[in-house]
Amino acid sequence: MTCRICGAELPDGAMFCGECGSSTSATPESRRRPDPRPGDTTVIERPARRNSGVISIPVDGFRAVTAIEPVDAAGLASPAPAAHPETVEPPASTRFVLTFSTGETRTVFGSGLIGRRPMPQPGEHFDHLVQIADRSLSVSKTHLEFGEHDGTLWIADRFSGNGTIVRRPDDGAVRCESGRRYLVPRGSRVELAEQFFVVA
């Protein structure tokens, strides 16, 4: 009796090959790995791009990059009066200080993810990936998402295993529904399972 995978001699009644470790019933076809590439009939759908942030574009003070020269009746460009270009400063992002129960403090702006090992989905872009050291593993890898809207921080639970609770200073506790945004004013405490952070 010989192994059908490596060709080694096997004693009668053997269940496994002593050389390669294969089962005596294994064949080269059964050991062949499936081709991960799609076949001709496989339909590949693009994942839906998730809009996860609040986008605001300042419109006031918008100017064209190059000035358009006026044209007279003869079709010739007449010299335009010299203009002083105005530089429009983009509005500064509101910054928030997050003080975690682990003793860490992070200053954040824009959008981001918080978790044990936060990872954005394909097509998502964030300003911050805030990692929490949680030895009890109560915080999910990507626990929640945050962003800024009209100067206030918002959070959204990213379908975490243990959920998220917001305790506002002027209100009671609110358990966050996954995928829904909640405004978190300064002074609020956000509980991520056994860990938490305070917004300042």
Side-chain angles (χ1 to χ4, degrees):
M1 180 176 185
T2 60
C3 176
R4 292 187 249 181
I5 303 300
C6 68
E9 288 294 325
L10 302 175
D12 289 336
M15 296 179 69
F16 295 97
C17 174
E19 294 294 318
C20 68
S22 299
S23 170
T24 55
S25 62
T27 63
E29 289 78 25
S30 68
R31 295 289 303 260
R32 188 172 295 135
R33 294 184 182 221
D35 189 357
R37 297 173 294 178
D40 292 337
T41 58
T42 304
V43 177
I44 299 176
E45 295 181 14
R46 290 179 164 247
R49 187 167 181 169
R50 185 182 140 113
N51 184 5
S52 61
V54 178
I55 300 172
S56 62
I57 301 171
V59 202
D60 298 335
F62 174 79
R63 290 184 171 271
V65 177
T66 56
I68 301 172
E69 297 179 1
V71 179
D72 61 8
L76 300 172
S78 58
H84 298 287
E86 294 180 22
T87 57
V88 178
E89 291 289 325
S93 295
T94 306
R95 297 186 184 276
F96 302 95
V97 177
L98 309 181
T99 306
F100 290 88
S101 55
T102 58
E104 299 168 290
T105 302
R106 290 290 301 264
T107 301
V108 296
F109 59 88
S111 62
L113 296 175
I114 298 176
R116 277 188 296 120
R117 193 180 180 114
M119 295 275 294
Q121 294 293 320
E124 289 183 326
H125 301 284
F126 294 99
D127 299 312
H128 301 279
L129 297 177
V130 180
Q131 189 170 358
I132 298 176
D134 179 32
R135 293 187 179 173
S136 65
L137 305 181
S138 65
V139 176
S140 298
K141 286 183 181 177
T142 304
H143 199 100
L144 65 81
E145 175 182 352
F146 67 86
E148 180 263 332
H149 178 70
D150 290 340
T152 305
L153 184 75
W154 60 260
I155 63 158
D157 187 274
R158 297 271 290 217
F159 299 91
S160 65
N162 291 324
T164 304
I165 296 174
V166 175
R167 295 186 189 277
R168 296 185 179 106
D170 58 345
D171 199 2
V174 176
R175 179 171 289 280
C176 298
E177 181 183 329
S178 296
R180 185 174 174 194
R181 293 180 181 176
Y182 293 85
L183 291 176
V184 183
R186 295 178 193 273
S188 299
R189 173 175 158 145
V190 179
E191 298 175 0
L192 306 105
E194 294 180 12
Q195 305 294 335
F196 68 87
F197 64 88
V198 177
V199 181

